[in-house]
Amino acid sequence: MQRQKQKEFYVTFQSLGLIKPLLETLASQGYETPTPIQAKAIPAILEGRDVVGLAQTGTGKTAAFTLPLLQKLQGRSGRGKDRVVKVLILSPTRELAAQIEKSVRDYGQKLSLRSTCVVGGVPIKRQQTALRNGIDILVATPGRLEDLVSQGSVRLNNIETIVLDEADQMLDIGFMPAIRRILKLLPAKRQTLLFSATMPREIRKLSADYLDDPIEVAVTPIAKTADKVSQSVMHLPADGKVNAMTKLVRTHPGKRIIVFCRTKRGADKIARKLNSENLGAAAIHGNKSQGQRTRALDAFKKGTMPVLIATDIAARGIDVPGVELVVNYDLPHVAESYVHRIGRTARAGASGLAVSFCTPDEIKLLRAIERLIKIKIPALAADGTPLPDHAVPQPPRAVKRPEGKQNSRRRHRPRRRAQS
Ligand code: AMP
């Protein structure tokens, strides 16, 4: 497998080769920069290559495969052709299938293409009717698709591209035999795209069996980076973050610092506070214009403005060498984001520093991160001195619901069953 060359610097949707109607739609949705998986996968898919995308939800992977597929179908709608499908997207769950189809409609709003979603649990009749006149993009769960195929309601011999989304989830749910059966029904000459958050042996095998010389794009540099970063977590009271931030910047003079913050308002607030103390900072987030963001980034790169405060989305696709300190002002709700954030430092073999602020409310997020990275992050007190285990705050206990309101029947979420 060939790994695509890294090119994340200042990539724009235009430079990826997307057509105007798609660019306009993206602009109207407020997307400014492609995420790393988009930057890598879109050109490869447009070229017609098979792709294995190692990426989890939240990386922008849906747009990474939907946009180029829409572009390739543009002007070639199969509308009106009997039971023909051109692009098939398979999803492990009904919810994800619906979400993907909504993205297909949203991104394709300026193109006249037909899409539909077929999943189990709803009457099949309407799905049969929708398929009768041909569909450009069909999003489906495997079981219902097989039912429709066996009834002759859909033909798979015109499929140009198949997308297997969240392949590892399909494996967990037990869909692998169905996936292999479906793949066997497709024309040999086709494009196959496989996305998965992890790459267990069975998925590698599936890829080896059914993909043709795929390009692998991975957006999780995960553990290796984390190893080189010296990490610590500073336990603070809820109102202690702003002062701790100021102190941290003061004690790292001349260093390039990226601060991650959960909200745009929070990012602005920290920037104001640091600037009021002459500690040169700028915030970048979705409410800033492209001009403001570019200026902030340039100043940060030149070193004239040492602190960059960013939300996770705004920081996507940004790659600045020489970041010495990453501060997690707020802990991320998705543990994997922690790895992406601290990966901003310790690039190219350099060592780096990552300090995370943690209030009692955030202890649970901290534990989830530690479970993911399999490291117990050394704890510090607010003054920066090591905090022994017994002094680490405990998460607040859940408030007991008043008598009579306890729901004794369904304490536990039922196990998810295979759906289709
Ligand atoms: P996904 O990983 O496909 O579930 O996407 C995660 C979220 O990111 C979705 O809510 C998308 O709308 C959003 N998103 C995808 N691409 C971009 C982008 N380039 N800029 C901003 N938001 C994006």
Side-chain angles (χ1 to χ4, degrees), residues 47-95:
E47 250 179 56
R49 296 289 305 262
D50 281 3
V51 171
V52 171
L54 244 176
Q56 49 232 335
T57 305
T59 52
K61 70 179 159 71
T62 314
F65 62 77
T66 305
L67 292 166
L69 294 180
L70 284 166
Q71 174 152 336
K72 287 168 64 154
L73 288 173
Q74 196 248 355
R76 302 192 299 112
S77 176
R79 189 192 293 261
K81 292 193 186 136
D82 188 31
R83 287 166 293 162
V84 160
V85 174
K86 293 195 160 177
V87 168
L88 173 63
I89 303 174
L90 288 182
S91 144
T93 64
R94 297 168 189 171
E95 295 77 16

Side-chain angles (χ1 to χ4, degrees), residues 241 245 257-263 266-267 270 284 307-316 318 323 325-332 337-345 347 354-357 362:
K241 288 186 176 181
M245 188 66 242
I257 305 171
I258 292 192
V259 182
F260 284 97
C261 184
R262 206 152 47 220
T263 64
I270 308 165
I284 54 164
V307 189
L308 189 70
I309 303 151
T311 54
D312 282 308
I313 292 248
R316 284 179 187 171
I318 294 173
V323 175
L325 171 63
V326 168
V327 181
N328 289 307
Y329 188 88
D330 300 309
L331 284 178
S337 297
Y338 176 84
V339 183
H340 291 292
R341 289 174 173 194
I342 71 165
R344 303 287 161 163
T345 182
R347 288 267 160 118
V355 179
S356 302
F357 291 170
E362 293 175 301

Side-chain angles (χ1 to χ4, degrees), residues 80-259:
K81 292 193 186 136
D82 188 31
R83 287 166 293 162
V84 160
V85 174
K86 293 195 160 177
V87 168
L88 173 63
I89 303 174
L90 288 182
S91 144
T93 64
R94 297 168 189 171
E95 295 77 16
L96 180 66
Q99 209 177 298
I100 296 171
E101 210 251 329
K102 183 173 180 308
S103 299
V104 170
R105 281 176 196 268
D106 286 348
Y107 299 136
Q109 59 188 246
K110 293 196 175 216
L111 311 173
S112 342
L113 295 167
R114 265 169 63 92
S115 63
T116 197
C117 179
V118 297
V119 296
V122 290
I124 202 163
K125 196 106 190 106
R126 216 186 289 161
Q127 298 174 350
Q128 290 168 323
T129 314
L131 290 164
R132 199 166 296 145
N133 291 322
I135 283 289
D136 296 308
I137 301 186
L138 177 64
V139 189
T141 45
R144 179 54 62 97
L145 180 74
E146 284 202 298
D147 289 347
L148 286 159
V149 170
S150 66
Q151 293 173 7
S153 305
V154 62
R155 299 208 307 244
L156 302 183
N157 55 346
N158 290 85
I159 299 274
E160 296 171 7
T161 305
I162 177 160
V163 182
L164 302 170
D165 197 14
E166 307 219 339
D168 50 355
Q169 276 226 51
M170 303 227 213
L171 175 71
D172 286 350
I173 299 178
F175 277 147
M176 220 27 71
I179 299 294
R180 284 180 174 267
R181 282 195 300 271
I182 293 168
L183 282 164
K184 286 198 187 107
L185 298 176
L186 305 182
K189 193 175 165 321
R190 57 151 202 273
Q191 182 180 36
T192 308
L193 313 175
L194 184 152
F195 291 85
S196 195
T198 57
M199 217 17 94
R201 200 165 30 88
E202 292 90 332
I203 304 289
R204 286 230 167 261
K205 174 94 174 59
L206 184 79
S207 163
D209 291 347
Y210 290 98
L211 275 70
D212 178 19
D213 187 25
I215 284 183
E216 184 171 314
V217 293
V219 288
T220 33
I222 302 285
K224 282 195 201 91
T225 322
D227 288 347
K228 282 184 286 170
V229 182
S230 157
Q231 304 169 60
S232 57
V233 57
M234 192 176 271
H235 290 276
L236 297 167
D239 60 357
K241 288 186 176 181
V242 177
N243 282 341
M245 188 66 242
T246 319
K247 225 160 123 189
L248 206 55
V249 178
R250 282 200 192 290
T251 49
H252 292 84
K255 298 259 161 91
R256 276 206 192 87
I257 305 171
I258 292 192
V259 182

Side-chain angles (χ1 to χ4, degrees), residues 366-387:
L366 175 65
R367 298 289 171 251
I369 291 165
E370 290 180 329
R371 273 196 302 277
L372 175 79
I373 61 175
K374 300 189 177 70
I375 293 174
K376 177 143 180 27
I377 307 173
L380 303 175
D383 62 2
T385 56
L387 197 64

